[in-house]
Amino acid sequence: MITGLHHVGLSVLNLDAAIDFYTKQHAYNLSHRFDVEDNANNRAMLQLDNASARGAFLQGSLGCLELFEYACKPEMDQEDKAVYSAGIRHICLQSEISDRLYDGLVAAGATSHARPSGLGTGNSYVYIRDPEGNLLELEGTPWAPEEARRPWFAHVALVTPDISRLTDFYALLTGIDIHRQGSFGPSPKFDHVAGLSDICFTGAWSRLANAELEFWCYAHPSTLPGNRRSLATPGWNHICFESDDIDADYARLVAHGIELHGPPHMFGNARLFFGRDPDGNVFEVLQPSLDKQLTVAAMLQEANGHSVDAARTAYRNRLAATATEA
């Protein structure tokens, strides 16, 4: 069974610079570095002709980040990193409502077309790009607990030309259905946040134990089918889900005809396998074996993660009670 969203993977051009950026403002802490050998098993697992890479695992609050600097770096069209382009599009970090996180990351080399602003939800929103142009969302929340000492991972967003197909797939993978969906735009507020004009899109959300999956399909500008990306191509490159029984999850996905790179095997302190969703995005399923500090359960019990999870649960319960009364 899938127990949560463990980490998101990012292929970078400069590993040391990426570590430096993502550990600013205490968004992530460096857990460990590692090397990926160019051998037959790793080439098959990653579907690469040359699997050689340097990597780093960054521990965050309620979700982790895995960085790879591959020896072979395929070029990527910057259009493929547009807000509306199909693929794994951004991660979201939440904090209290203030510009502190935004200002700190901009000082560290991020760029943005606007400062944080509201959409009428009570939250603040802004898109920024890291020094290599990868998209992040920073979201300020009115329910942020005072005891939270660092930002926390809130969701990873996928943009797709077929939102029903993709949400159905991830419901099958995770065992969790969509809990909210809707259509948005056109509105100057959305245009301001996205840095585009007259945007219209549909969205959907799936809530896992520690974080959410967010899905977008843009009608204007239109989200077109994306190219099948190599894991080595710079940018957000995979989403990893934690399992408490990886063999059962592998057998379940095989039975449903899901495209997988191969069976589970050991890599570092975990057993894992990779596969592709219907859009060609890479997902990973991982079962930790030795390093129990990096499990979803541990993230939820860690002091910052626990306080955030308690505060957002109370906030969601208040919203649900209000909706029921209405």
Side-chain angles (χ1 to χ4, degrees):
M1 183 179 72
I2 299 301
T3 58
L5 207 167
H6 189 267
H7 68 261
V8 181
L10 179 64
S11 178
V12 301
L13 298 173
N14 186 321
L15 180 64
D16 294 328
I19 293 171
D20 183 63
F21 175 79
Y22 281 98
T23 54
K24 297 293 187 184
Q25 302 299 304
H26 305 290
Y28 293 94
N29 296 324
L30 176 63
S31 170
H32 60 275
R33 291 173 179 258
F34 59 91
D35 292 316
V36 182
E37 296 182 6
D38 182 34
N39 57 43
N41 285 337
N42 288 340
R43 289 194 295 270
M45 175 181 72
L46 300 173
Q47 291 192 339
L48 294 172
D49 293 332
N50 181 357
S52 179
R54 297 193 305 142
F57 201 85
L58 308 185
Q59 186 169 359
S61 190
L62 295 176
C64 299
L65 184 62
E66 191 172 36
L67 305 176
F68 296 88
E69 181 187 337
Y70 285 96
C72 177
K73 303 179 179 70
E75 293 185 2
M76 183 176 190
D77 187 337
Q78 287 302 309
E79 181 70 13
D80 289 341
K81 292 187 178 181
V83 172
Y84 56 86
S85 297
I88 302 170
R89 191 50 45 230
H90 71 260
I91 65 168
C92 175
L93 297 176
Q94 289 181 333
S95 65
E96 79 286 355
I97 296 180
S98 78
D99 290 355
R100 179 180 58 84
L101 178 59
Y102 170 84
D103 289 337
L105 292 179
V106 168
T111 57
S112 177
H113 63 271
R115 294 190 66 83
S117 60
L119 294 174
T121 64
N123 293 14
S124 65
Y125 305 88
V126 67
Y127 283 140
I128 65 170
R129 292 188 180 275
D130 73 12
E132 293 190 9
N134 302 300
L135 194 66
L136 294 88
E137 180 184 4
L138 307 181
E139 184 175 343
T141 67
W143 49 264
E146 292 184 3
E147 59 270 28
R149 295 291 181 257
R150 59 189 298 198
W152 58 90
F153 174 64
H155 67 252
V156 57
L158 298 100
V159 178
T160 174
D162 190 336
I163 197 167
S164 295
R165 181 181 68 175
L166 202 62
T167 54
D168 285 348
F169 172 82
Y170 281 100
L172 169 66
L173 174 61
T174 65
I176 298 173
D177 291 329
I178 295 300
H179 74 272
R180 183 165 66 96
Q181 55 189 334
S183 297
F184 308 90
S187 166
K189 294 179 180 180
F190 293 118
D191 292 352
H192 179 75
V193 172
L196 299 168
S197 299
D198 302 320
I199 63 169
C200 296
F201 53 96
T202 56
W205 291 264
S206 175
R207 183 175 294 159
L208 280 72
N210 59 315
E212 293 188 344
L213 293 174
E214 181 176 85
F215 304 90
W216 297 116
C217 178
Y218 284 78
H220 184 268
S222 180
T223 298
L224 303 176
N227 296 322
R228 187 180 174 94
R229 294 181 68 249
S230 162
L231 272 169
T233 301
W236 300 111
N237 70 351
H238 76 277
I239 303 171
C240 178
F241 300 91
E242 185 179 312
S243 169
D244 62 4
D245 189 340
I246 196 168
D247 293 310
D249 280 320
Y250 177 78
R252 177 172 60 88
L253 296 180
V254 167
H256 281 91
I258 305 304
E259 179 185 356
L260 302 174
H261 294 185
H265 68 276
M266 287 297 300
F267 185 87
N269 291 329
R271 294 183 69 217
L272 55 88
F273 65 87
F274 287 83
R276 299 260 180 176
D277 70 21
D279 285 0
N281 302 307
V282 177
F283 68 87
E284 176 187 354
V285 176
L286 169 149
Q287 184 171 8
S289 57
L290 299 178
D291 194 354
K292 297 300 184 182
Q293 293 181 346
L294 295 181
T295 63
V296 168
M299 295 179 208
L300 286 164
Q301 290 304 312
E302 177 268 333
N304 201 76
H306 178 74
S307 64
V308 169
D309 186 49
R312 71 183 178 185
T313 298
Y315 179 73
R316 289 167 179 168
N317 289 341
R318 288 196 300 271
L319 289 181
T322 301
T324 301
E325 292 172 0

